[in-house]
């Protein structure tokens, strides 16, 4: 329970219920359901980070992306 990750990103990729989707700066506001899979984001310096989520919800409003998930774990993918 609580905040697991707070970070800044130039791009993100999330596992949506209808397929994986990308998020860039100034993305339109949206809400999406998520399925279990990798949540990936790239920082301004080019570093890519990946965690595994166990489904949930994603909301984008004014360049802020919030993910609600029941479980988050380190991914076995190199980042």
């Amino acid at each position: 329970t609580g905040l697991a990750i707070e970070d800044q990103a130039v791009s993100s990729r999330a596992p949506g219920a209808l397929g994986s989707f990308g998020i860039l700066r100034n993305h339109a506001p949206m809400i999406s359901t998520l399925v279990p899979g990798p949540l990936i984001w790239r920082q301004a310096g080019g570093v890519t980070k990946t965690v595994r989520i166990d489904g949930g919800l994603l909301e984008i409003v004014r360049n802020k992306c919030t993910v609600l998930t029941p479980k988050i774990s380190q991914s076995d993918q190199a980042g």
Side-chain angles (χ1 to χ4, degrees), residues 44-73:
V47 175
T48 300
K49 297 198 172 185
T50 304
V51 294
R52 181 162 179 78
I53 59 170
D54 193 24
L57 295 172
L58 176 141
E59 177 189 47
I60 301 169
V61 178
R62 286 172 273 184
N63 285 323
K64 182 176 180 180
C65 178
T66 302
V67 175
L68 302 175
T69 183
K71 185 177 177 184
I72 187 170
S73 58

Side-chain angles (χ1 to χ4, degrees), residues 1-47:
T1 303
L3 180 65
I5 297 171
E6 185 171 1
D7 204 353
Q8 294 187 1
V10 295
S11 65
S12 302
R13 181 157 291 281
L18 298 176
S20 179
F21 60 91
I23 304 162
L24 296 173
R25 186 174 181 214
N26 295 322
H27 195 289
M30 74 176 243
I31 295 175
S32 177
T33 55
L34 300 172
V35 297
L39 178 64
I40 303 165
W41 67 99
R42 186 170 55 88
Q43 298 173 320
V47 175

